[in-house]
Amino acid sequence: QVQLVESGGGSVQAGGSLRLSCAASGYTANTNYMGWFRQAPGKEREGVASIYTGRVYTGRGSSYYADSVKGRFTISRDNAKNTVYLQMNSLKPEDTAMYYCAATSRWVRSPLAEAEFADWGQGTQVTVSS
């Protein structure tokens, strides 16, 4: 099992930036994907971005984004630190949500699908004001 701890959330004005961090601990050796999901009040949790963190070359793309954040958000990893980051630029009020980090050892078919991920963090709040 993998433990995940998010940090970096906060309140910003529209157009601002935040960087979220997700530190993984525990049995991380078999983790293949880590991702960020978000849930706004009254809405379902949705995939934001995910990244391949395995050590086997797959020939596939390594990062995936929801259409709503493409060009604004960037996911990256530091395998040495077992940490994944989400750089969020040009933030909009509709980005306001609780952001969750997730991990899986599966070879996922849908890298932004909640059901593909087994381990979850507690979340960090992001609030964007207009």
Side-chain angles (χ1 to χ4, degrees):
Q1 192 172 5
V2 176
Q3 292 77 47
L4 303 169
V5 178
E6 305 97 333
S7 61
S11 298
V12 295
Q13 290 191 327
S17 298
L18 284 173
R19 188 176 83 153
L20 306 183
S21 299
C22 174
S25 61
Y27 194 64
T28 61
N30 287 348
T31 298
N32 280 324
Y33 291 87
M34 292 182 68
W36 289 95
F37 293 75
R38 67 186 181 186
Q39 187 168 22
K43 295 187 176 181
E44 294 186 352
R45 190 152 56 182
E46 63 175 354
V48 175
S50 67
I51 189 167
Y52 176 65
T53 57
R55 290 162 173 78
V56 176
Y57 175 70
T58 66
R60 300 170 61 183
S62 63
S63 57
Y64 307 85
Y65 297 92
D67 289 342
S68 60
V69 305
K70 282 180 181 177
R72 300 188 298 122
F73 291 10
T74 303
I75 190 169
S76 61
R77 64 180 183 175
D78 185 334
N79 278 0
K81 296 181 178 180
N82 288 326
T83 299
V84 169
Y85 305 95
L86 185 68
Q87 178 66 44
M88 306 186 294
N89 298 329
S90 302
L91 282 161
K92 305 175 181 180
E94 51 263 44
D95 294 318
T96 295
M98 183 71 78
Y99 283 70
Y100 298 90
C101 179
T104 183
S105 60
R106 297 174 59 179
W107 293 96
V108 302
R109 292 178 178 266
S110 303
L112 295 178
E114 180 180 356
E116 297 275 21
F117 290 80
D119 299 302
W120 294 83
Q122 294 299 307
T124 185
Q125 178 68 38
V126 171
T127 302
V128 184
S129 58
S130 57

